[in-house]
Amino acid sequence: DATITVVGKDGEALANATVEVRQQTHEFLFGCNLFALDQLATPELNRKYEAAFTHLFNFATVPFYWRDLEPQEGKPRFAEGSPRIWRRPPPDRLVKWCRANGITPKGHALMYVKNMFMPDWTARDDAEKLRMQGRIHMAEIAQRYARDIPIWDAVNEEIYRLRYPNEWPTVPNDFLAWCFQEAGRLFPRPTRLLINDGTGGAHDTPSAYEALVQGLQQRGVRVEGVGIQFHAYNRDAMLSGKLYRPQKLAAVYEQLGRLGLPLYVTEITVSGTGNDGPALQAAVVANLYRLWFSTPMMAGVTWWNLGDGTAYEHENKALGGLLDQEMNPKPAYRALDRLINEEWKTRTQTQTDARGMARFRGFFGKYQVEVTSAGKTKRFEIEHTPAGEKTHRLMVGVAK
């Protein structure tokens, strides 16, 4: 709920003024990874990719996978013009693009030391050497991007590391807390540092995930959000109710929400295979987004691969894009467009009462307000936020 008070140039309340409220942006973060920017086969495909991205999303995941970021020790691929690697455009280019398009970037991930994503030159069996390399790695990233990227997956897939240690290098004792301590030292507030974990780890063992976060909170380190992946490659298992029933999802998010930290669904894939695949994908996606958007502690949701054919290797078989391979919208994209840009954007008109007050109830974000009184109209910009001022005093150029 918000209140707008309209006064004239003499400061007196203006009754019966018409107030038209139109939401311009969302505070809630609707995102997607930006891994295919400038990566497609033709300029036309790249243009369509960018247009589809900016029309739907205000949040972009930028890749910082160590193997491709620094394939040669001491020669990170930060800068525009760096040698091309598929799905790993240089971060400088992506940050610049996000700034130009009013999109919030997120770094993924500051520390993700799974062997398959690590450069060959990093230590695999020497924990102290890996600590030294990790400290340099994090410091270089922070020095370059701390001012430009306000949110990070600080550590990725810790539950999986603990569960399948043979897939990871030998890490320092107390690896998770150490990573967050280093990140907290390197990145200034209000940079937000997230823990992020896999689909099964978060949804099938939420108590284990909760315990990891509580351990960090008890140590007083900066953990400022909980990331939850959601890759559903098996469409039939979901539709049959064997996997990720809505009641189960709601219970998991309620449990993790009790940690008192904002929640983020960080990586979303929903399969679109089969003759009826696109239509079923659209129905599932719309229902999932309704569930996520209605979760009280949820602060953002991020689709993973925008277009079919832009996923990681075998994941392309799921046809989990919101666009087809020609970068044209699929039914799932159009379903999200209706939700994000129509159903969940507030547009309303009202009038001020005898005290010059008009009230509206709206989704959080930035608004344009148009006030008309005595034949004169004036436009204002206001920001409607959970923690912000809920009463906005607007002065128009007429006297009572």
Side-chain angles (χ1 to χ4, degrees):
D1 295 310
T3 301
I4 293 172
T5 299
V6 180
V7 299
K9 60 184 179 181
D10 55 4
E12 293 293 321
L14 293 179
N16 300 315
T18 299
V19 179
E20 186 172 349
V21 176
R22 293 190 295 272
Q23 186 175 1
Q24 305 296 304
T25 66
H26 280 283
E27 180 183 83
F28 194 90
L29 297 172
F30 293 104
C32 186
N33 82 44
L34 196 55
F35 296 0
L37 185 74
D38 300 333
Q39 297 263 304
L40 303 177
T42 68
E44 177 63 10
L45 290 175
N46 284 319
R47 184 198 66 76
K48 290 165 73 175
Y49 177 91
E50 292 187 40
F53 199 109
T54 54
H55 180 70
L56 207 57
F57 302 120
N58 60 4
F59 191 39
T61 299
V62 177
F64 282 85
Y65 297 86
W66 201 347
R67 172 181 286 276
D68 299 319
L69 186 69
E70 193 178 2
Q72 291 182 269
E73 186 174 8
K75 297 181 179 180
R77 296 174 53 258
F78 293 141
E80 292 190 69
S82 296
R84 184 183 185 279
I85 297 178
W86 171 238
R87 298 182 79 247
R88 301 293 185 261
D92 280 8
R93 166 63 180 142
L94 303 192
V95 169
K96 179 180 177 181
W97 186 88
C98 286
R99 185 185 303 116
N101 288 281
I103 289 172
T104 300
K106 182 185 78 163
H108 174 80
L110 191 60
M111 286 297 283
Y112 183 27
V113 299
K114 193 173 184 178
N115 285 331
M116 63 186 296
F117 296 113
M118 292 287 281
D120 294 336
W121 55 265
T122 51
R124 301 294 173 93
D125 301 313
D126 186 332
E128 288 309 308
K129 185 174 181 181
L130 182 64
R131 184 198 301 271
M132 177 189 68
Q133 293 170 335
R135 183 174 285 121
I136 294 171
H137 174 68
M138 286 190 278
E140 287 179 338
I141 291 173
Q143 183 178 21
R144 195 175 186 101
Y145 297 107
R147 291 177 298 176
D148 295 317
I149 300 181
I151 183 168
W152 290 84
D153 292 326
V155 179
N156 195 43
E157 298 185 358
E158 179 69 358
I159 291 177
Y160 285 174
R161 184 188 72 81
L162 296 171
R163 190 174 296 168
Y164 306 110
N166 60 312
E167 298 180 14
W168 302 73
T170 302
V171 301
N173 291 333
D174 212 8
F175 172 73
L176 179 63
W178 172 75
C179 291
F180 272 95
Q181 287 166 343
E182 285 293 306
R185 181 177 62 83
L186 292 166
F187 287 86
R189 298 181 187 274
T191 303
R192 180 164 289 177
L193 303 175
L194 275 57
I195 185 172
N196 188 51
D197 227 294
T199 308
H203 292 93
D204 299 335
T205 57
S207 293
Y209 198 17
E210 181 182 31
L212 284 179
V213 178
Q214 287 174 332
L216 293 172
Q217 291 176 318
Q218 290 165 4
R219 297 184 62 149
V221 301
R222 279 176 59 191
V223 53
E224 295 154 334
V226 178
I228 304 161
Q229 298 177 25
F230 190 90
H231 294 294
Y233 303 114
N234 188 334
R235 187 198 68 182
D236 293 339
M238 177 183 290
L239 294 176
S240 68
K242 296 178 181 177
L243 194 66
Y244 309 132
R245 294 175 64 85
Q247 297 92 332
K248 167 70 172 178
L249 297 179
V252 168
Y253 306 142
E254 181 180 1
Q255 178 177 352
L256 295 177
R258 290 197 290 267
L259 291 163
L261 299 172
L263 305 179
Y264 300 83
V265 182
T266 54
E267 305 177 22
I268 303 164
T269 304
V270 175
S271 174
T273 57
N275 293 332
D276 56 353
L280 282 175
Q281 183 196 39
V284 170
V285 165
N287 286 333
L288 284 169
Y289 269 70
R290 287 189 180 98
L291 188 153
W292 290 326
F293 191 53
S294 68
T295 297
M297 293 301 291
M298 197 69 69
V301 292
T302 296
W303 195 262
W304 202 227
N305 298 290
L306 180 55
D308 287 341
T310 65
Y312 175 73
E313 295 182 354
H314 68 280
E315 294 175 359
N316 284 307
K317 295 178 181 178
L319 298 180
L322 298 173
L323 311 177
D324 63 21
Q325 292 196 6
E326 297 302 315
M327 300 298 115
N328 295 315
K330 293 163 64 175
Y333 182 94
R334 291 192 288 270
L336 288 185
D337 187 19
R338 286 191 294 271
L339 290 174
I340 295 170
N341 289 319
E342 295 178 26
E343 186 174 331
W344 295 339
K345 268 197 176 165
T346 301
R347 300 172 181 86
T348 189
Q349 183 174 300
T350 185
Q351 284 192 312
T352 58
D353 60 17
R355 296 175 296 170
M357 299 174 71
R359 296 173 178 82
F360 75 95
R361 182 173 178 82
F363 296 109
F364 298 123
K366 293 181 180 179
Y367 282 75
Q368 182 183 91
V369 180
E370 189 173 276
V371 179
T372 302
S373 181
K376 294 186 178 181
T377 298
K378 188 172 182 179
R379 289 191 178 94
F380 302 87
E381 300 290 332
I382 65 172
E383 192 161 358
H384 182 41
T385 67
E389 176 61 51
K390 298 294 178 59
T391 300
H392 303 273
R393 183 180 173 88
L394 309 180
M395 180 179 291
V396 299
V398 297
K400 186 175 179 180

